[in-house]
Amino acid sequence: MPSVDRTLASQADVPLAPLTTLGVGGRARWLVRAQTADQTAAAIKWSADQQVPLFVLGGGSNLVVSDEGFDGLVLQVAVAGLEFIAERDRTIVRAGAGEPWDDVVSAAVSRGLAGLECLSGIPGTTGGTPIQNVGAYGQDVSRTITAVTVLDRATGATRVMAGTECGFGYRSSRFKGDDAGRFVVCDVTFSLAPGAPTLAYPDVIAELEGRGITAPTVSDAREAVLAIRRRKGMVIDAADPDTRSVGSFFMNPVVDADHRGRLARARDAKIPGYELPDGRLKVPAAWLIEQSGFARGYSSGTAGISSKHPLAIVNRGGATARDVLALAVQIKRQVADHFGVWLRPEPAFVGFEDDPDVAFLQETVN
Ligand SMILES: Cc1cc2nc3c(=O)[nH]c(=O)nc-3n(C[C@H](O)[C@H](O)[C@H](O)COP(=O)(O)OP(=O)(O)OC[C@H]3O[C@@H](n4cnc5c(N)ncnc54)[C@H](O)[C@@H]3O)c2cc1C
């Protein structure tokens, strides 16, 4: 086994499934865990010099790893560090990419800072959050990220990217789009201010009302979000098999007014969703999946649909990546047949070169 760097312990032939929340997939040829930006840079340089493929791993909570594994170097970014810098009316929060995301949210909330409270309970690392512009219950990180420090694999240079340069959109960014795989996030900076929580979602408002809280603090909002998420199997819990997932497997599709009309007529139903400023409708993928015939708790061998949330494909124990993909393909086909809507997957796929199932899942016509 080649030495990646004298300061960096590398392991060979490492099972990847235990490093992911879905728990499927084969082995990595090599794995290194980089605890500093310098170690991260050394691993990137080594893979470039040796012409070895590189995959960047965070907390493994948004990944489907192929059963064949990854024939290259998996670089687990574990850069630590969390600082709160008080400015006049705001607090700058700078977190290393390897910091567990919910620890950052919890630390901000405990200081009374608003802006991240609705993102409580999301697994994974802080470095993973800008990749798909992590969001939930009316917040996403694009609203508070002011800078992202990245290592540019194309040049080997470190660069500080402003939040506005990240190309954030709904569950997307340049890191997942045009520049996928190019930048390795080393740390993320947020700008937060003390204040009231974001109360944009009926579920959160109802939960707070149910608790008799009339003037909620950010702490109250965090507790409400965590309670809702637990009921949906959306907080990782070893004792809850419905949490062996990547969270939502599909994104909520956006349909135009014409498609929306056709959908409503075809189903003789009011289509639920959130109206976007341009008149299009973001339709809950969970609704489409249930309406097209998949019940919560549905099983297809060792893969299945969570009994608490129709959007989560779960590993019921012993599932392979192929089992998960087969179910995802079945769901996408059935929703397309019923509604003419092509769902798009949310997780990253690792080690699936030219795989027809992955290609189909990523295909879109709407
Ligand atoms: C139970 C559950 C609930 C979830 N709920 C939500 C939710 O409410 N909202 C939401 O948006 N997501 C949710 N997710 C998805 C997931 O938790 C987030 O997308 C998370 O930010 C992924 O971070 P990670 O560190 O685990 O990344 P990984 O899964 O390890 O990687 C995901 C992608 O990010 C890249 N990446 C990771 N770290 C870096 C880095 N430092 N530099 C460059 N690229 C990197 C990887 O290469 C890969 O392409 C949920 C997942 C689960 C299992």
Side-chain angles (χ1 to χ4, degrees):
M1 180 184 74
S3 169
V4 169
D5 183 279
R6 258 179 304 177
T7 63
L8 206 50
S10 58
Q11 299 164 262
D13 199 26
V14 180
L16 289 171
L19 302 178
T20 70
T21 53
L22 184 61
V24 302
R27 292 164 178 266
R29 186 151 178 211
W30 297 291
L31 181 132
V32 293
R33 191 173 151 81
Q35 276 159 327
T36 63
D38 285 348
Q39 290 182 346
T40 308
I44 292 171
K45 183 172 181 315
W46 181 86
S47 76
D49 290 350
Q50 306 292 319
Q51 299 187 333
V52 163
L54 177 87
F55 177 75
V56 179
L57 175 69
S61 63
N62 213 12
L63 288 186
V64 183
V65 177
S66 81
D67 296 316
E68 289 70 39
F70 184 70
D71 188 17
L73 176 67
V74 171
L75 165 59
Q76 187 171 36
V77 181
V79 177
L82 179 58
E83 47 179 348
F84 288 79
I85 305 149
E87 292 194 338
R88 266 181 311 176
D89 53 349
R90 306 196 67 79
T91 296
I92 303 304
V93 183
R94 191 166 173 206
E99 289 293 333
W101 171 245
D102 196 52
D103 290 0
V104 175
V105 176
S106 166
V109 165
S110 69
R111 288 166 170 80
L113 297 169
L116 305 179
E117 63 282 356
C118 295
L119 306 176
S120 294
I122 297 177
T125 60
T126 303
T129 62
I131 309 303
Q132 71 157 4
N133 182 19
V134 156
Y137 300 103
Q139 284 180 341
D140 60 42
V141 290
S142 75
R143 296 167 194 223
T144 43
I145 286 182
T146 53
V148 180
T149 307
V150 294
L151 277 159
D152 185 346
R153 290 176 60 198
T155 63
T158 301
R159 178 171 158 194
V160 179
M161 226 180 249
T164 49
E165 289 178 88
C166 296
F168 288 128
Y170 165 63
R171 295 299 171 275
S172 70
S173 73
R174 67 187 291 182
F175 308 118
K176 200 178 173 181
D178 292 348
D179 285 323
R182 174 171 168 187
F183 297 105
V184 181
V185 176
C186 292
D187 64 54
V188 187
T189 303
F190 303 84
S191 173
L192 307 177
T198 299
L199 299 178
Y201 265 56
D203 288 9
V204 180
I205 295 166
E207 178 73 25
L208 288 162
E209 279 173 4
R211 293 170 176 227
I213 298 169
T214 47
T217 61
V218 284
S219 269
D220 295 327
R222 172 174 166 79
E223 291 311 316
V225 166
L226 285 172
I228 297 166
R229 292 184 67 97
R230 282 195 190 99
R231 289 200 292 269
K232 293 185 174 176
M234 286 290 167
V235 177
I236 295 291
D237 177 353
D240 181 355
D242 279 328
T243 70
R244 245 180 129 66
S245 75
V246 295
S248 301
F249 199 94
F250 294 102
M251 294 191 268
N252 293 325
V254 173
V255 299
D256 60 23
D258 179 46
H259 198 149
R260 177 184 179 175
R262 280 186 283 127
L263 274 181
R265 279 193 297 279
R267 302 301 297 173
D268 194 20
K270 188 173 174 336
I271 306 299
Y274 314 105
E275 185 110 30
L276 302 178
D278 61 9
R280 293 182 305 157
L281 190 74
K282 192 192 278 181
V283 184
W287 186 85
L288 293 169
I289 291 169
E290 280 196 311
Q291 291 291 312
S292 68
F294 290 99
R296 292 166 198 220
Y298 173 86
S299 274
S300 169
T302 46
I305 294 178
S306 160
S307 65
K308 302 187 182 75
H309 200 308
L311 254 188
I313 293 182
V314 294
N315 173 0
R316 298 211 188 284
T320 62
R322 193 54 64 191
D323 296 332
V324 169
L325 287 192
L327 176 55
V329 163
Q330 193 193 349
I331 293 171
K332 177 162 173 152
R333 282 226 168 89
Q334 207 154 305
V335 169
D337 287 348
H338 277 71
F339 293 106
V341 173
W342 285 52
L343 295 177
R344 289 172 55 212
E346 202 180 284
F349 296 93
V350 187
F352 292 95
E353 288 303 308
D354 303 323
D355 186 276
D357 285 345
V358 171
F360 172 71
L361 287 172
Q362 286 171 334
E363 210 174 308
T364 182
V365 293
N366 45 272

